[in-house]
Amino acid sequence: MTTRTDGHTLAGLAALLADPTRAGFCLALLDGRAWTAGELARSAGVAPSTASDHLTRLVRGGLLTEERQGRHRYMRLADPSVAQLIEDLAGRAPAPATPPRTLRAASAQASLAYARTCYDHLAGRLGVLVHDALLARGVLDRAGGLAVTPAGITWLTDLGVPVEPLRAARRPLVRDCLDWTERRPHLAGALGAALCRRFLDLGWTARGTGRALRLTPAGRPALAAALALDPAALAPPSRDTGPARA
């Protein structure tokens, strides 16, 4: 039997994210990795006991899952649908009015704006470029809704990303995800996650600090060739201190 969400239930879910500390924990966990309770406490600048109370509420509310290993308590977002919820809410939030105050902060913002993980798929300017190039190259098509084309299946298989196993995933194969710095879609879904993993496995991208990714020197020409792009189109801007809220 299908149950309907009432106003009290929806308000309770919204209340979980109405606290800056809990919202900050969820944003941090968008890197797709497990964090210890202590790491999350330090990231938010709160006491471990305060973090523990907030994390317990998020777990009970179904937004996080936890795994205990010895004395450590590891936290993750519950599933991709929770990540999508956090991304969608963040995309609707206004940009911060205060610019970065130090060169280090500006550099960190620029790195996140250029390329980062959005839970388990590629986001930022690079993610949007890949999304658009896949459409232009005919790997994806929008004629009947976003879908992988027959030619795209061949292209992806040659890249080492077979599509058929991904169709069995408990999530859409392909989905647009509004990029909260570019305000244009990047590719999510099972295929978006598989491509992000493949680029890392091939050494085309590498992890930076936190959620940031970087395109490696070998990865730029290789990815450009695969997408039929000029390598210069994939170059990060030399100065990019615009707001990045990821």
Side-chain angles (χ1 to χ4, degrees), residues 9 12-13 16 54-65 78 82:
T9 305
L13 175 62
L16 287 173
H54 285 303
L55 291 170
T56 296
R57 290 189 62 178
L58 290 168
V59 170
R60 288 176 178 170
L63 295 181
L64 303 186
T65 59
V82 173

Side-chain angles (χ1 to χ4, degrees), residues 66-100:
E66 67 175 318
E67 178 181 345
R68 293 184 181 271
Q69 292 186 10
R71 62 187 182 88
H72 292 296
R73 184 186 187 192
Y74 287 91
M75 315 302 301
R76 292 183 185 271
L77 294 179
D79 54 48
S81 69
V82 173
Q84 179 182 343
L85 172 65
I86 302 301
E87 283 284 332
D88 289 345
L89 288 173
R92 297 178 189 279
T98 304

Side-chain angles (χ1 to χ4, degrees), residues 158-206:
D158 290 344
L159 186 66
V161 183
V163 173
E164 288 310 313
L166 300 177
R167 295 189 191 276
R170 296 179 59 187
R171 62 194 295 191
L173 177 62
V174 289
R175 181 180 67 80
D176 284 334
C177 182
L178 179 64
D179 195 280
W180 60 8
T181 51
E182 294 296 299
R183 302 301 173 121
R184 296 171 56 206
H186 57 246
L187 182 65
L191 180 58
L195 282 173
C196 186
R197 289 194 303 270
R198 186 59 176 157
F199 294 164
L200 286 164
D201 290 344
L202 290 169
W204 293 0
T205 57

Side-chain angles (χ1 to χ4, degrees), residues 2 11 23 25 34 41 46 51 59 76 97 103 114 122 130 142 182 225 230:
T2 301
F25 289 166
V46 297
V59 170
R76 292 183 185 271
L103 181 60
Y114 175 67
L122 180 62
V130 169
R142 289 195 182 280
E182 294 296 299
D230 183 340

Side-chain angles (χ1 to χ4, degrees), residues 228-239:
L229 293 174
D230 183 340
L234 299 178
S238 56
R239 299 186 181 210

Side-chain angles (χ1 to χ4, degrees), residues 10-27:
L10 183 58
L13 175 62
L16 287 173
L17 295 171
D19 178 87
T21 297
R22 292 195 294 273
F25 289 166
C26 291
L27 286 172

